[in-house]
Amino acid sequence: MNNTHATVTIDIVLDRQNTREILRALLHAILFHRLFGTIKPQSFEVLDVTMPGVADPAMERLVEEKVDTFWKGLENVALKRGQVSVTLSKKDQRKAWLGITTYEEEVAWEQWIINAEIRQPNSAQERQQFNQNLAATLSRSLRTMLSHTSSEQGRGAVPPITNSEVSPFPLKISVQVGGVELG
């Protein structure tokens, strides 16, 4: 696979109380900016930050499945740290040995990586500061998404759209906890 694709990284520190909701909102926001078919928008209110989302049953199931996989993976490791990545690919025709036959290969054109760490605030005062920091991180993440997808590099990375499906490109969401890929 070609490794010259754009990679956008979001680092976030979460608590157990908000992990699912925030991962769900981040994944939906990425999909909102990178699905090119006809979509019905929705929004998520997380810590007073409005995150865009996609109201598509297949995408909602995929996001829920990956968030659940991440959450369950955390139960089995001491270090509460993991990664959720969204990889967008295109299908390229490649020539096999001696150029006699061709085959189709998925080549990544963009990857979004969410590095998440779970920590617990110990007091009400810590919780308030933690939530303020988390809201600021969510706002920064949205600005990163907007900056990247509207930049020349972000727009130029998108291959030609050849169909009207919600996701005209192969899309993979992978979950890694404790260095092991799950589900």
Side-chain angles (χ1 to χ4, degrees):
M1 192 174 274
N2 186 351
N3 286 332
T4 61
H5 60 273
T7 301
V8 181
T9 303
I10 297 169
D11 295 316
I12 192 159
V13 178
L14 306 166
D15 66 339
R16 293 184 66 78
Q17 180 179 332
N18 295 322
T19 298
R20 288 175 181 257
E21 182 181 21
I22 289 173
L23 283 179
R24 183 180 306 115
L26 284 170
L27 288 170
H28 267 279
I30 292 167
L31 294 175
F32 179 83
H33 288 95
R34 281 308 193 209
L35 294 178
F36 295 100
T38 303
I39 60 168
K40 181 179 176 187
Q42 67 176 323
S43 61
F44 296 88
E45 286 291 326
V46 183
L47 299 173
D48 294 328
V49 178
T50 303
M51 306 283 287
V54 178
D56 177 76
M59 290 297 140
E60 288 175 334
R61 272 191 308 276
L62 178 62
V63 167
E64 285 303 317
E65 174 188 312
K66 298 305 180 177
V67 168
D68 286 345
T69 299
F70 182 85
W71 184 253
K72 290 174 185 169
L74 287 177
E75 294 174 352
N76 301 321
V77 295
L79 190 59
K80 304 297 184 195
R81 197 176 276 174
Q83 185 178 81
V84 180
S85 62
V86 178
T87 305
L88 298 152
S89 303
K90 62 182 179 177
K91 292 188 177 187
D92 276 353
Q93 293 291 323
R94 302 282 187 206
K95 292 192 181 213
W97 192 66
L98 294 177
I100 299 170
T101 59
T102 60
Y103 64 96
E104 215 170 50
E105 177 184 46
E106 285 187 12
V107 178
W109 56 270
E110 189 169 82
Q111 184 174 41
W112 296 77
I113 298 172
I114 303 168
N115 292 313
E117 181 179 345
I118 312 302
R119 292 189 197 152
Q120 276 309 114
N122 294 321
S123 67
Q125 185 177 1
E126 277 186 31
R127 157 95 31 225
Q128 185 178 11
Q129 184 62 46
F130 188 89
N131 285 347
Q132 288 173 351
N133 292 341
L134 193 47
T137 301
L138 285 174
S139 294
R140 256 191 325 277
S141 298
L142 266 179
R143 282 193 301 276
T144 297
M145 289 176 205
L146 289 168
S147 295
H148 175 73
T149 57
S150 64
S151 71
E152 186 63 39
Q153 179 192 12
R155 290 190 322 267
V158 180
I161 298 170
T162 59
N163 64 55
S164 60
E165 294 175 24
V166 169
S167 179
F169 311 108
L171 165 73
K172 179 183 178 190
I173 301 177
S174 56
V175 175
Q176 202 174 57
V177 176
V180 176
E181 189 165 335
L182 306 172

